[in-house]
Structure formats: C-alpha cells, structure tokens
Amino acid sequence: QVQLVESGGGLVQSGGSLRLSCAASGSIFSINEMAWYRQAPGKQRELVATITSGGTTNYADSVKGRFTISRDNAKNTVYLQVTSLTPEDTAVYYCTSVLRTSIGTYWNRYWGQGTQVTVSS
C-alpha cells in the first residue's frame, strides 16, 4: 500500500510564499516522476510542475519563475516552493508520483489527498 501525504498549504496574502511538501510512504521499490497538479474551483485539474528521478524539471507557463519543484530521493519527498502568489493561484494542490512497488511490477500513478492554498488579495 502506498500513501502520498501533502502538507504546507494555507492562507497567504497576495505576494506571499509557501512551501508545499509531499511524502510518499509504504511499499515503494522505485519512484520515477513526481509532480504537482492543482485544481481551482470550477476548473479542471492542471499540471503545475514535474521532476524526474534525475532532477529534470518542467513547469506550466503560468508558474515559471515563481514556483520551484525539488525532491529528496532518500526521503521519497517532493517539494514545491511557491512565491509571488496571486489570487489566481488559489486551488487545491495535489501531489502525484509514478512508482513501482516491487521489481518487475508495472509503473503506476498515485495521488495524494490535496492541500488547500488560498491567496487573498
């Protein structure tokens, strides 16, 4: 069984910053991609940023230069440093990871339960 648990969300004023964390635990053999998505009220879930096991990153155009994704492979943890926040960044932020639970098994995607980020103007 695999769990992804996010933390670090909250209420912040426009221009503020937060650091989101997501720790993967359970029966994990190997982790490939880790990523953050977000879903604002009434909108579809959208990709925010991804990071490979080798550290290659990719960002949505809307967050480039403001958000930074990183990971600690020893801790099976991915982080998202979010800065210069605007009310348009208000959303539930979800962590996701593509991993294998044992050698020879398929890669599967797992999701966390989400953490709310609210930016006031």
Side-chain angles (χ1 to χ4, degrees):
Q1 188 174 359
V2 174
Q3 281 191 319
L4 274 65
V5 179
E6 301 102 332
S7 61
L11 174 64
V12 63
Q13 288 187 333
S14 186
S17 301
L18 288 171
R19 190 190 194 208
L20 308 183
S21 300
C22 172
S25 63
S27 179
I28 297 172
F29 175 74
S30 180
I31 299 177
N32 189 352
E33 175 191 284
M34 302 187 85
W36 289 93
Y37 283 69
R38 68 184 181 185
Q39 187 166 19
K43 295 186 177 181
Q44 289 188 331
R45 190 173 298 189
E46 64 174 359
L47 175 67
V48 175
T50 65
I51 184 167
T52 68
S53 57
T56 299
T57 59
N58 184 52
Y59 296 92
D61 288 342
S62 60
V63 307
K64 281 181 181 177
R66 300 189 301 122
F67 291 10
T68 303
I69 189 170
S70 61
R71 64 191 281 175
D72 184 334
N73 291 330
K75 295 181 179 180
N76 291 338
T77 299
V78 62
Y79 305 96
L80 187 68
Q81 181 71 42
V82 299
T83 65
S84 302
L85 287 163
T86 73
E88 288 68 37
D89 295 313
T90 294
V92 177
Y93 284 70
Y94 295 92
C95 165
T96 181
S97 178
V98 176
L99 59 88
R100 290 193 295 177
T101 56
S102 63
I103 190 169
T105 60
Y106 291 107
W107 295 95
N108 287 304
R109 182 176 292 279
Y110 294 83
W111 291 87
Q113 81 288 351
T115 185
Q116 176 71 47
V117 172
T118 303
V119 185
S120 63
S121 57

